[in-house]
Amino acid sequence: MTMKTILRLSIAAAFMTHVAFAVPTDIDGFSQAYQQYNLSVDSNNNQDTLKYAQQTYALGQVKFGKDSLDSGKLAINWANALVNESKRNHNGRIIEDAATLQAQKLFESALRVYRNNVADNDIALIDPLVGLAQTTANDKYAKDLLFEAISAAEKADNLLTVAEVKLIAFHRLSGTEYYTRTVRSFVMDANDIYVNKLPENAIKRVNSTYLVGALYAAMNRPNDATPLLLEVIKQYQALPYSHPYELHAHALLVTLYEQQGKSNKATEHCVAIGKMTPWDDQQEQTPLFRKPPNYPRSYAERGKDGWVQVEFTVDEHGFVKSPEIIDSKGGYQFERESIEALTQWRYAPKFVDGKPTSAKSKVQLEFTLG
């Protein structure tokens, strides 16, 4: 059986650094180009950053030599600019395109240079290791690179860097065959470090707390997840802007409370989401919590499938009220099971003039045998 309405949450993270170094005065154009590069970074001028990163890399190879550590640093700067450009073109995601392929070559070049100029496990290796891990499509290679970066950070006894790289490894390896218990534990290790090293309202700490809470929720550990997600919401609400993790934390709490039969506690989070997100009357609303309808056994035995369209009211608390069948195919039992399921769904209510209000919505539930 498939459902037309699905709620998907995703998360993503990236670790890109600007590598700086002293630039001697000269007349070959490098110093001026590097100054322009720094100005563009400071002013968040993406196109100029890309332009001058490429220019300083080309000039630097002549000035310092292709195998110098300075040329390696310039390669990383250009690679990071390319990755950031790709992310801007793909909603913040790092995907394989011309920019990231070029960045991968630059990170590979930088890593070779670094290995020839610094000791094994030197913390300086982290920049090219992480950059290459995030741009390569080879998951096994990425795992090896990230584990080496973690080892370098641990050897340097730089706990905040350990946390940063472990979070990168967690994100990069999630969804791959190398997502093991060890990798899963990285996000918890990082959060422990942030809790000990950063104030409670530090964004890195709050973000990692959200990730741990989301992980516990996925592991069906509501007692561990709930207090973390509540703390996340508390800290995000103090920000002068809306953070996407705040919305996700509310959504996870709706699910956790409904799974425990605590609908009243879920309500405040349904309302909070309604206040944060606009209601679109032109499209089907997405449920925050849903239970799929039971597939009638007699229909399944006969290989019967179908669908049901239902119109209903989402009240000011996000409950489904007054469901009515608009149309259906397949039989009365599909209709009955659809109504039974829908009465247990939760939505974000519509807001009008700053207040939650009842509003009509509709959904199509599809019954298909795999």
Side-chain angles (χ1 to χ4, degrees):
M1 178 181 63
T2 61
M3 297 296 300
K4 188 175 180 182
T5 306
I6 302 173
L7 177 64
R8 289 191 177 94
L9 301 179
S10 62
I11 52 180
F15 179 65
M16 296 294 165
T17 59
H18 159 55
V19 182
F21 54 93
V23 181
T25 303
D26 59 25
I27 58 173
D28 60 9
F30 176 83
S31 295
Q32 183 178 358
Y34 190 71
Q35 182 180 23
Q36 290 300 317
Y37 166 76
N38 283 320
L39 289 173
S40 66
V41 170
D42 292 340
S43 62
N44 292 315
N45 187 323
N46 303 325
Q47 289 302 313
D48 278 358
T49 297
L50 194 59
K51 172 185 173 181
Y52 289 113
Q54 181 177 3
Q55 194 174 111
T56 54
Y57 173 71
L59 293 170
Q61 284 197 307
V62 175
K63 183 176 184 62
F64 303 113
K66 293 183 178 181
D67 297 325
S68 74
L69 193 58
D70 286 336
S71 289
K73 294 175 181 178
L74 293 169
I76 291 174
N77 286 345
W78 184 20
N80 286 339
L82 286 163
V83 170
N84 288 333
E85 179 66 17
S86 178
K87 287 168 62 182
R88 282 190 291 274
N89 294 331
H90 301 288
N91 297 318
R93 295 176 297 147
I94 300 177
I95 69 169
E96 188 175 286
D97 61 7
T100 53
L101 288 173
Q102 178 65 44
Q104 180 183 341
K105 292 178 182 178
L106 288 163
F107 282 127
E108 287 172 343
S109 172
L111 183 57
R112 286 194 297 270
V113 168
Y114 272 62
R115 290 198 190 283
N116 290 331
N117 285 275
V118 303
D120 290 345
N121 264 351
D122 192 294
I123 195 169
L125 286 167
I126 290 176
D127 286 319
L129 287 169
V130 167
L132 186 51
Q134 293 198 307
T135 52
T136 180
N138 186 324
D139 296 334
K140 171 65 165 59
Y141 187 33
K143 178 188 78 73
D144 293 342
L145 292 166
L146 288 167
F147 274 57
E148 183 180 351
I150 291 170
S151 177
E154 290 176 337
K155 182 179 179 181
D157 198 27
N158 190 322
L159 290 180
L160 289 176
T161 302
V162 171
E164 192 81 10
V165 180
K166 283 193 171 185
L167 279 177
I168 294 163
F170 171 80
H171 287 296
R172 174 60 181 85
L173 300 175
S174 296
T176 75
E177 64 179 297
Y178 303 103
Y179 182 65
T180 61
R181 287 186 177 181
T182 296
V183 173
R184 186 179 69 187
S185 70
F186 285 168
V187 70
M188 299 172 187
D189 296 342
N191 190 59
D192 287 343
I193 292 171
Y194 287 148
V195 167
N196 288 322
K197 294 289 185 179
L198 299 177
E200 64 178 12
N201 62 347
I203 289 298
K204 285 186 177 181
R205 172 173 168 176
V206 183
N207 286 350
S208 69
T209 299
Y210 165 77
L211 291 174
V212 176
L215 188 60
Y216 280 145
M219 295 166 65
N220 196 27
R221 294 171 57 177
N223 292 336
D224 292 317
T226 299
L228 294 176
L229 295 171
L230 290 172
E231 175 63 20
V232 163
I233 291 169
K234 171 188 170 184
Q235 296 301 333
Y236 286 144
Q237 286 178 338
L239 296 175
Y241 58 89
S242 294
H243 193 288
Y245 280 179
E246 180 184 353
L247 188 68
H248 297 337
H250 282 299
L252 286 171
L253 285 166
V254 171
T255 297
L256 289 170
Y257 284 135
E258 286 291 345
Q259 287 174 340
Q260 298 174 80
K262 300 177 180 178
S263 293
N264 289 338
K265 287 191 173 183
T267 295
E268 67 175 283
H269 301 286
C270 292
V271 173
I273 293 172
K275 189 174 183 179
M276 295 171 68
T277 57
W279 180 284
D280 189 342
D281 291 307
Q282 305 305 313
Q283 71 177 34
E284 181 181 309
Q285 305 306 310
T286 302
L288 300 172
F289 173 78
R290 65 179 178 87
K291 285 187 176 181
N294 295 322
Y295 209 110
R297 183 171 181 178
S298 61
Y299 285 9
E301 290 172 347
R302 285 181 280 165
K304 196 173 184 180
D305 58 17
W307 48 265
V308 180
Q309 292 179 351
V310 188
E311 185 176 69
F312 53 91
T313 297
V314 175
D315 73 7
E316 65 272 21
H317 302 298
F319 288 101
V320 171
K321 301 294 184 181
S322 307
E324 296 181 1
I325 304 297
I326 301 173
D327 198 3
S328 69
K329 177 183 176 182
Y332 167 75
Q333 291 189 51
F334 284 149
E335 296 181 359
R336 183 188 65 193
E337 295 296 344
S338 295
I339 295 296
E340 174 65 24
L342 271 171
T343 56
Q344 301 176 70
W345 289 21
R346 298 301 300 273
Y347 284 85
K350 181 178 182 178
F351 267 66
V352 176
D353 296 329
K355 295 182 179 180
T357 186
S358 297
K360 290 285 188 180
S361 189
K362 61 183 178 180
V363 68
Q364 178 168 310
L365 285 73
E366 298 184 2
F367 294 80
T368 60
L369 293 169

